[in-house]
């Protein structure tokens, strides 16, 4: 007794009607994308919003990662184990019912064949009647709907029998029997089976598809060709049982998944919560609240983390307090020393000036010493002024006295002070201004010091190359850029250039003296003006210091009218108040005090001024955009 594999008949793919094959039509056909409806756009935006929330939760929450990973692994395990268990149960139920059906059908076929062989019917009607009575053996229970039989002539024999097809259920006739099973029964004298999906009408008059197993055997009837006797078993109960088992498995797994995820959530919360509390405390410490500590409970690893964190916080607080005390003492020392040195320095300065004025009457050997004394005392006085100014900034007593001033005139005054150094170093300074007069609310003393420090710094590092000073205004911002073309700055140097007493090259000799506090004081002066100062540079290409302050102190500052690099931006129109430009990102090292600006503006007028300045025949001097020199 052999068996056939499970076969199911499915309708083949239907071929859709193809459009008219016309090159002209294809050439004129233009695909038009369908416009999204408001509901589709809403669903799409909701999908992206949920995706963004999930990505944020995954990147920021360890607890969410643990829950998600545990849930995904549990689902994967259930798919593997549950599928295997379900297949084994289904296979076992099917094999049991198959073996039972084959056993029952084999016995029934043998009984039917024995009954037919024992009949001595002579007429066709008698033989037909005897065969019909014999087939009732295949269905002992007439009320059973799970087992039916059918008798049909097997095709491919040439002759036709006079016994008609018969069946116990009108809806389950020979048409539902697969041809492959009929051929197998005709060829071999054995019992064969095959499972099929049959569409039958239920008690409500509706059609439904049910799984059936058909068991067949060839019958030999006198005076007739071979017929096939088939027993049809309804497998719906087995399929329902398998569905219920799968439902139980899915329900049990869902409950287990909820239990496991709850346990994972509780365990991860116990582990993650101390870390979260420590992170929040660390953030508050970083904001300046040094009194924050982690609350420690227990003696486990998380508690040890909290204890270690608290010890670190105590140590940091102690060190910070010591540094604050040292800083206060240092500031007080600098202030006291500066004030105490003021009186004797004034006396020394008056004496050195007196000697310097009478140096012509002194012997030649003493003239050089008097000149050195006069210069060093002047340098000492400058250093003392810087220290006093720094002490005022540290004490918070520095004030701003803004007045409406011509900033371009302040720059001209600074240029007069720098003229001897320009002649000595043979350096040209080119001034590019957007207007003959640039009025702004500034503290004249502090703005003059800002321009002097930036210009002297450029002379110090320009290596006798030209220096460009750009000055322009936008609607509510004054921009000043001092650009040299000397040694330049690296990214690391630009980040430290405003620190006190910092020097880019400690081996480099100072030619203009100085204390190392000039740029630091410049940053503080600009801060008092509610402005920003930016340092940009590239090695061997020079450096540029850009200052932006509000035109009026009671108004907010807008975009900068000059570039961070100080280069002229070609093709920018000039409006009534100054320069209207577009943004340009600067490459190279940059450091900013206060808030850095990402975009800067320039002008056509500045470009023309640069061209006219470049055509000047003077080897050193001052050139502005108005033609003055």
């Amino acid at each position: 007794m052999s068996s056939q594999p499970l076969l199911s008949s499915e309708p083949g793919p239907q071929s859709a009607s193809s459009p008219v094959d016309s090159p002209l039509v294809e050439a004129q056909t233009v695909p038009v994308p369908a416009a999204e409806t408001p509901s589709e756009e809403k669903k799409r935006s909701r999908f992206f919003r949920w995706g963004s929330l999930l990505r944020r939760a995954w990147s920021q929450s360890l607890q969410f990662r643990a829950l998600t990973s545990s849930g995904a692994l549990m689902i994967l395990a259930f798919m593997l184990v549950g599928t295997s268990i379900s297949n084994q149960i289904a296979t076992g139920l099917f094999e049991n019912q198959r073996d039972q059906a084959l056993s029952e059908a084999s016995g029934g076929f043998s009984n039917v064949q024995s009954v037919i062989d024992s009949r001595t019917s002579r007429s066709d009607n008698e033989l037909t009647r005897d065969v019909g009575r014999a087939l009732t053996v295949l269905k002992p229970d007439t009320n059973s709907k799970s087992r039916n039989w059918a008798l049909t002539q097997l095709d491919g024999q040439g002759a036709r029998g006079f016994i008609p097809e018969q069946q116990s259920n009108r809806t389950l006739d020979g048409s539902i029997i697969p041809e492959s099973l009929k051929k197998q029964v005709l060829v071999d004298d054995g019992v064969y089976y095959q499972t099929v999906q049959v569409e039958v009408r239920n008690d409500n008059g509706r059609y439904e598809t049910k799984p059936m197993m058909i068991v067949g055997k060839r019958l030999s009837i006198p005076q007739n060709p071979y017929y096939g006797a088939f027993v049809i078993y309804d497998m719906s109960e087995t399929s329902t049982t398998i569905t219920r088992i799968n439902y139980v498995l899915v329900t049990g797994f869902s409950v287990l998944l909820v239990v496991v995820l709850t346990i994972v959530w509780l365990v991860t919360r116990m582990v993650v919560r101390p870390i979260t509390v420590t992170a929040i405390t660390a953030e508050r410490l970083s904001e300046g609240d040094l009194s924050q500590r982690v609350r420690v409970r227990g003696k486990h690893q998380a508690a040890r983390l909290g204890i270690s964190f608290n010890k670190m916080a105590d140590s940091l607080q102690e060190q910070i307090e010591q540094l604050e005390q040292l800083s206060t003492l240092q500031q007080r020392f600098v202030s006291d020393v500066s004030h105490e040195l003021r009186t004797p320095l004034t006396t020394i300065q008056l004496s050195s000036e007196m000697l310097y004025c009478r140096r012509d009457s002194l012997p030649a050997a003493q003239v050089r010493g008097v000149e050195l004394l006069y210069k060093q005392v002047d340098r000492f006085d400058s250093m003392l002024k810087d220290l006093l100014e720094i002490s005022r900034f540290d004490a918070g007593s520095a004030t701003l006295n803004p007045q409406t001033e011509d900033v371009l005139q302040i720059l001209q005054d600074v240029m007069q002070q720098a003229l001897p150094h320009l002649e000595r170093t043979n350096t040209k300074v080119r001034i590019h201004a957007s207007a003959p007069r640039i009025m702004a609310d500034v503290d004249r003393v502090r703005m003059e010091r800002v321009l002097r420090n930036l210009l002297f710094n450029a002379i110090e590092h320009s290596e006798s190359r030209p220096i460009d000073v750009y000055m322009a205004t936008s609607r509510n911002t004054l921009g000043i850029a001092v650009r040299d073309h000397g040694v330049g700055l690296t990214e690391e140097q630009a980040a430290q250039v405003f620190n006190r007493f910092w020097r880019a090259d400690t081996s480099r000799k100072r030619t203009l003296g100085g204390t190392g506090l000039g740029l630091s004081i410049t940053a503080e002066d600009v801060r008092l003006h509610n402005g920003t100062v930016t340092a940009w540079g590239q090695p061997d290409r020079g450096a540029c210091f850009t200052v932006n302050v509000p035109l009026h102190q009671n108004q907010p500052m807008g975009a900068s009218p000059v570039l961070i690099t100080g280069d002229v931006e070609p093709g920018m129109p000039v409006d009534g108040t100054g320069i209207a430009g577009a943004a340009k990102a600067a490459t190279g090292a940059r450091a900013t005090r206060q808030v850095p600006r990402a975009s800067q503006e320039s002008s056509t007028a500045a470009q023309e001024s640069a061209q006219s300045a470049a055509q000047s025949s003077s080897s050193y001097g001052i050139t502005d955009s108005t033609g003055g020199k």
Side-chain angles (χ1 to χ4, degrees):
M1 182 172 60
S2 61
S3 63
Q4 287 283 24
L6 175 63
L7 298 178
S8 60
S9 302
E10 295 183 359
Q14 298 180 355
S15 60
S17 59
S18 59
V20 179
D21 296 332
S22 174
L24 181 59
V25 174
E26 292 182 359
Q28 294 178 350
T29 301
V30 179
V32 179
E36 291 185 354
T37 62
S39 60
E40 291 177 348
E41 294 180 355
K42 188 175 181 180
K43 291 180 180 179
R44 189 174 181 182
S45 61
R46 186 181 304 169
F47 173 78
F48 284 115
R49 183 165 58 252
W50 276 104
S52 176
L53 291 176
L54 291 177
R55 285 194 300 270
R56 187 183 307 169
W58 177 266
S59 62
Q60 296 179 358
S61 175
L62 291 176
Q63 195 169 11
F64 180 79
R65 285 192 178 189
L67 289 174
T68 306
S69 302
S70 301
L73 292 176
M74 284 286 294
I75 293 174
L76 179 61
F78 170 75
M79 292 177 63
L80 297 176
V81 178
T83 303
S84 176
I85 294 175
S86 178
N87 289 337
Q88 291 180 6
I89 294 175
T91 302
L93 291 176
F94 173 78
E95 290 178 352
N96 289 335
Q97 189 168 3
R98 181 199 61 189
D99 295 341
Q100 182 180 358
L102 291 175
S103 177
E104 293 177 355
S106 297
F109 293 149
S110 299
N111 293 333
V112 170
Q113 187 65 53
S114 299
V115 171
I116 293 175
D117 293 340
S118 64
R119 298 291 181 178
T120 58
S121 302
R122 297 180 180 180
S123 64
D124 294 346
N125 293 332
E126 292 179 353
L127 183 60
T128 302
R129 182 189 58 195
D130 292 341
V131 170
R133 291 176 179 176
L135 289 172
T136 57
V137 178
L138 298 177
K139 188 179 181 182
D141 186 4
T142 56
N143 295 324
S144 176
K145 296 182 179 181
S146 62
R147 181 178 177 182
N148 294 279
W149 58 267
L151 178 69
T152 181
Q153 182 179 347
L154 300 177
D155 298 333
Q157 302 181 74
R160 298 292 300 177
F162 57 82
I163 298 179
E165 292 187 359
Q166 303 179 36
Q167 60 273 344
S168 61
N169 190 336
R170 293 181 180 180
T171 59
L172 301 176
D173 55 10
S175 62
I176 69 171
I177 301 172
E179 293 296 329
S180 58
L181 181 59
K182 291 181 180 180
K183 292 180 181 180
Q184 187 70 26
V185 170
L186 176 64
V187 173
D188 297 329
D189 185 15
V191 178
Y192 300 94
Y193 77 94
Q194 187 171 337
T195 57
V196 294
Q197 298 288 333
V198 181
E199 190 177 31
V200 297
R201 179 179 294 179
N202 56 20
D203 297 337
N204 298 327
R206 297 179 180 179
Y207 285 95
E208 60 179 351
T209 302
K210 292 185 177 181
M212 302 283 183
M213 184 170 65
I214 303 175
V215 182
K217 188 180 186 309
R218 186 178 67 188
L219 292 181
S220 177
I221 302 176
Q223 304 176 10
N224 284 274
Y226 289 123
Y227 277 77
F230 299 94
V231 180
I232 305 170
Y233 291 90
D234 189 352
M235 306 286 288
S236 299
E237 293 184 0
T238 303
S239 177
T240 303
T241 303
I242 294 174
T243 302
R244 290 177 179 175
I245 292 174
N246 291 337
Y247 176 77
V248 172
L249 288 175
V250 172
T251 303
F253 169 76
S254 300
V255 174
L256 180 62
L257 179 63
V258 172
V259 173
V260 171
L261 291 181
T262 303
I263 296 174
V264 171
W265 181 80
L266 291 174
V267 173
T268 53
R269 186 174 184 273
M270 294 173 58
V271 176
V272 173
R273 184 172 177 80
I275 300 176
T276 304
V277 173
T278 304
I280 294 174
T281 306
E283 291 176 356
R284 292 176 179 174
L285 280 173
S286 64
E287 293 174 357
D289 189 359
L290 300 179
S291 63
Q292 291 293 322
R293 296 294 183 273
V294 177
R295 189 175 181 180
V296 179
R297 295 179 179 177
K299 298 182 179 179
H300 43 76
Q301 289 85 350
R304 292 174 56 189
L305 174 63
I307 294 173
S308 301
F309 181 85
N310 290 339
K311 290 182 179 179
M312 180 189 68
D314 292 338
S315 177
L316 287 175
Q317 183 178 10
E318 183 179 356
Q319 293 180 12
I320 290 174
E321 290 176 352
Q322 291 178 357
L323 290 175
E324 289 178 349
Q325 293 176 0
L326 291 175
S327 177
T328 303
L329 292 175
Q330 180 183 6
Q331 294 174 9
R332 185 179 301 172
F333 173 77
V334 172
S335 178
D336 293 344
V337 169
S338 301
H339 284 85
E340 292 297 330
L341 290 177
R342 193 65 184 166
T343 301
L345 179 61
T346 303
T347 304
I348 297 174
Q349 190 174 18
L350 291 174
S351 301
S352 64
E353 289 180 356
M354 185 182 300
L355 292 174
Y356 185 77
C357 293
R358 297 180 179 181
R359 66 183 182 279
D360 295 336
S361 61
L362 296 176
Q366 298 178 1
V367 172
R368 179 57 179 168
V370 170
E371 292 177 350
L372 291 176
L373 176 63
Y374 177 78
K375 291 181 180 179
Q376 294 303 318
V377 168
D378 185 64
R379 181 184 176 188
F380 192 13
D381 180 65
S382 177
M383 293 172 60
L384 189 59
K385 289 179 181 179
D386 290 345
L387 290 175
L388 286 172
E389 192 64 29
I390 286 292
S391 65
R392 293 191 188 97
F393 287 129
D394 292 337
S397 59
T399 59
L400 187 72
N401 298 315
Q403 298 291 334
T404 303
E405 301 283 351
D406 184 358
V407 184
L408 191 58
Q409 182 59 46
I410 297 176
L411 177 60
Q412 296 286 356
D413 295 341
V414 172
M415 296 300 300
Q416 293 297 329
Q417 300 175 23
L419 188 58
H421 304 290
L422 295 173
E423 294 176 347
R424 177 176 55 83
T425 58
N426 193 21
T427 303
K428 176 192 288 186
V429 175
R430 299 174 295 202
I431 300 177
H432 314 271
S434 61
R437 298 184 65 189
I438 298 179
M439 309 302 294
D441 293 344
V442 296
D443 187 326
R444 181 180 181 86
V445 175
R446 297 188 181 277
M447 183 54 65
E448 182 176 346
R449 182 164 54 201
V450 168
L451 295 175
R452 182 172 60 251
N453 288 338
L454 294 181
L455 184 60
F456 279 38
N457 181 76
I459 297 173
E460 178 77 24
H461 299 89
S462 65
E463 296 184 339
S464 300
R465 297 172 185 171
I467 298 174
D468 293 288
V469 180
Y470 300 92
M471 187 177 297
T473 60
S474 61
R475 181 166 300 177
N476 51 6
T477 305
L478 167 65
I480 303 171
V482 180
R483 169 68 188 273
D484 66 76
H485 303 273
V487 295
L489 292 172
T490 63
E491 185 175 358
E492 294 78 9
Q493 292 172 347
Q496 304 180 56
V497 72
F498 295 106
N499 294 339
R500 297 177 183 179
F501 302 106
W502 183 86
R503 295 182 62 186
D505 186 2
T506 56
S507 63
R508 183 182 180 90
K509 181 181 178 181
R510 293 182 184 269
T511 60
L512 299 179
T515 61
L517 297 172
L519 294 180
S520 178
I521 294 175
T522 297
E524 296 292 344
D525 285 335
V526 174
R527 181 184 60 82
L528 286 178
H529 283 85
N530 298 318
T532 63
V533 57
T534 302
W536 172 92
Q538 285 186 347
D540 299 327
R541 288 192 56 189
C544 181
F545 290 83
T546 306
V547 174
N548 293 288
V549 295
L551 279 178
H552 306 284
Q553 288 298 316
N554 57 350
Q555 295 181 358
M557 185 173 60
S560 175
V562 294
L563 292 174
I564 293 176
T565 60
D567 295 328
V568 178
E569 179 77 1
M572 292 299 169
V574 180
D575 61 15
T577 59
I579 300 172
K584 177 181 179 183
T587 59
R590 188 183 73 175
T592 304
R593 285 298 174 94
Q594 299 293 100
V595 182
R597 303 282 176 178
S599 63
Q600 307 292 334
E601 303 172 6
S602 185
S603 68
T604 304
Q607 181 186 10
E608 295 175 353
S609 301
Q611 293 175 353
S612 63
Q615 296 173 357
S616 176
S617 60
S618 175
S619 60
Y620 59 87
I622 305 172
T623 307
D624 61 19
S625 61
T626 61
K629 186 176 179 179

